[in-house]
Amino acid sequence: MRPTVVSMGKHFGNLGKMYGEHRFALAPNEQKAYKGFFDQAFVKTFKTYVWDQWYYYIPQTIGAYLLYDWAKKTNVAANRKNPADFANDQ
Amino acid sequence: MKINNSLLNFVNGMLVTLPSSKTLTLSWNFGSMLGMVLIFQILTGTFLAFYYTPDSLMAFSTVQYIMYEVNFGWVFRIFHFNGASLFFIFLYLHIFKGLFFMSYRLKKVWMSGLTIYLLVMMEAFMGYVLVWAQMSFWAAVVITSLLSVIPIWGPTIVTWIWSGFGVTGATLKFFFVLHFLLPWAILVIVLGHLIFLHSTGSTSSLYCHGDYDKVCFSPEYLGKDAYNIVIWLLFIVLSLIYPFNLGDAEMFIEADPMMSPVHIVPEWYFLFAYAILRAIPNKVLGVIALLMSIVTFYFFALVNNYTSCLTKLNKFLVFMFIISSTILSWLGQCTVEDPFTILSPLFSFIYFGLAYLMLFIFMSSKLLFK
């Protein structure tokens, strides 16, 4: 929202000039409370945040996890003896 | 009567009849949730203060007394302790949302928000110390000692905060008073934060078709804040089932100045800053980097650019920033050992690199569209 709205004293009633009017109404007997619920809540959400935007975060997250896993394993290896050095002991 | 009417009109214009964009999603609930948690923390904290004694020999015992003897004392303590984590969860969500939608275009809101963030960090740190457990005591020693890097006045400031020559009971009294008073100051700044926000309205990534296509704030968005109750139910359930999962085991041992813990770590919400601090071998530079990890974002408010937004590039960078911050947080609780000592400076560099890259792009994109 633009800062001009309030700083110029705009409030409901003088926000902007509108020509013509479109009106939409739904009769009570036409209403279905759960119409589109599963589509909006699950399918659309999945599409919006995962299907269409996976390249923003999924590859980076996988890369971060692989780095995390590598670091942990390297740290464990650095804190113990190298078994190969003792392979000939018996 | 005139004054009352003016005040009523002021509040009405900001909370009821504010023309608001239709595109505000649940991401805008983070702010209202933070307001609720702040009030919640003040209430639970006030009740805990009834039984707490900021004396070095009794502080830890009074905490145990609250847990075991005071009626419902354990509930208040668990809620207060986990409420701090809840606050920081939503604080970080709120900040990241601000970065995604480039909310730093609203300069006053951004500046006051960062100030609140810094004050809340101080508040959380001082609260951590009040338990007077091993981790509390030694965290206080480490963090207050950092102030000694201030030129000329550093050692004096440290001695003043300690009220002596080490972290003692006097330090505890100092922190208790501040821990109790600071939230009221935060409350005032939060109020200012809200007034600044509602003077301009929220930013959004979708530009509505001019000014005329707006809805009233009151039934739509005030009512939408009721969705927060879902988070509250989750919070209560998780707090009661896993009361101390976000804490440290050393918090159950009374402070012992003669023996430090094997591994000193701050709470989870400070780990990224702690990792940055440790990544730099020099103490002065480390403290400067620690401060800059937050102060950097003040610079975003110095740029005059409202309309030129590269939203997709910004989204990519913010996701990268979130991931690098998460890795830094993990590194902050790792020991100072082989691969971590390489990764900490690397990700500190990435953290600052991404922050300044976002700033640079924000400055430059205005020129692109000039």
Side-chain angles (χ1 to χ4, degrees), chain A residues 1 6 53 60 67 75 79, chain B residues 19 199 306 315-316 337 347:
Chain A
M1 177 172 148
V6 176
Q53 298 193 36
Q60 295 89 311
L67 180 70
N75 182 247
N79 277 282
Chain B
S199 293
Y306 191 82
K315 189 196 296 180
F316 177 79
E337 284 171 359
F347 276 92

Side-chain angles (χ1 to χ4, degrees), chain A residues 1-3 5-6 10-12 15-16 18 53 56-57 60-61 64 67-68 70-72 74-75 78-79, chain B residues 17-19 199-200 202 210-212 214-216 306 312 315-316 319-320 323 327 330 337-340 343 347:
Chain A
M1 177 172 148
R2 285 187 272 160
V5 170
V6 176
K10 290 191 174 181
H11 297 285
F12 285 108
L15 289 176
M18 195 189 299
Q53 298 193 36
Y56 281 105
Y57 60 93
Q60 295 89 311
T61 305
L67 180 70
Y68 157 84
W70 168 82
K72 286 218 303 184
T74 306
N75 182 247
N79 277 282
Chain B
T17 59
L18 177 71
S199 293
T200 58
S202 298
D211 290 330
Y212 51 87
K214 291 290 190 288
V215 294
C216 266
Y306 191 82
K312 286 182 161 59
K315 189 196 296 180
F316 177 79
F319 270 123
M320 293 288 283
I323 290 168
I327 294 179
W330 166 64
E337 284 171 359
D338 189 16
F340 308 133
L343 292 178
F347 276 92

Side-chain angles (χ1 to χ4, degrees), chain B residues 99-227:
Chain B
L99 291 174
F100 274 121
F101 293 99
M102 305 181 87
S103 301
Y104 35 80
R105 292 178 283 163
L106 306 177
K107 298 192 183 74
K108 291 174 185 171
V109 183
W110 189 252
M111 291 280 212
S112 58
L114 279 173
T115 306
I116 292 165
Y117 182 31
L118 287 169
L119 291 177
V120 168
M121 278 178 138
M122 288 172 59
E123 176 75 9
F125 164 67
M126 289 189 289
Y128 194 57
V129 173
L130 293 188
V131 186
W132 209 241
Q134 272 289 68
M135 200 58 77
S136 301
F137 178 83
W138 290 100
V141 172
V142 171
I143 299 301
T144 52
S145 299
L146 296 180
L147 294 173
S148 63
V149 306
I150 297 171
I152 307 175
W153 303 281
T156 307
I157 291 173
V158 172
T159 309
W160 173 64
I161 288 176
W162 284 347
S163 308
F165 297 102
V167 177
T168 60
T171 318
L172 189 57
K173 289 181 170 66
F174 188 95
F175 281 175
F176 177 64
V177 172
L178 287 184
H179 183 70
F180 191 83
L181 292 181
L182 196 50
W184 308 105
I186 292 172
L187 206 56
V188 171
I189 301 177
V190 164
L191 194 63
H193 188 63
L194 275 177
I195 291 172
F196 291 143
L197 176 67
H198 285 222
S199 293
T200 58
S202 298
T203 51
S204 174
S205 63
L206 297 178
Y207 294 98
C208 280
H209 317 285
D211 290 330
Y212 51 87
D213 198 16
K214 291 290 190 288
V215 294
C216 266
F217 186 83
S218 174
E220 269 74 17
Y221 294 119
L222 269 184
K224 195 168 185 177
D225 290 344
Y227 273 101

Side-chain angles (χ1 to χ4, degrees), chain A residues 82-90:
Chain A
N82 181 13
D85 294 347
F86 305 90
N88 296 317
D89 291 11
Q90 186 59 39

Side-chain angles (χ1 to χ4, degrees), chain A residues 14-90:
Chain A
N14 64 348
L15 289 176
K17 187 169 282 294
M18 195 189 299
Y19 300 94
E21 183 179 291
H22 297 269
R23 190 169 293 193
F24 173 82
L26 198 63
N29 62 311
E30 293 175 303
Q31 293 175 33
K32 290 182 178 132
Y34 281 94
K35 184 178 168 64
F37 171 72
F38 291 103
D39 183 62
Q40 298 286 314
F42 299 107
V43 178
K44 187 182 176 187
T45 303
F46 175 79
K47 279 187 182 177
T48 303
Y49 292 107
V50 180
W51 194 256
D52 290 338
Q53 298 193 36
W54 60 271
Y55 44 85
Y56 281 105
Y57 60 93
I58 289 182
Q60 295 89 311
T61 305
I62 292 169
Y65 175 76
L66 291 176
L67 180 70
Y68 157 84
D69 195 54
W70 168 82
K72 286 218 303 184
K73 286 183 170 129
T74 306
N75 182 247
V76 168
N79 277 282
R80 65 193 291 264
K81 297 171 182 176
N82 181 13
D85 294 347
F86 305 90
N88 296 317
D89 291 11
Q90 186 59 39

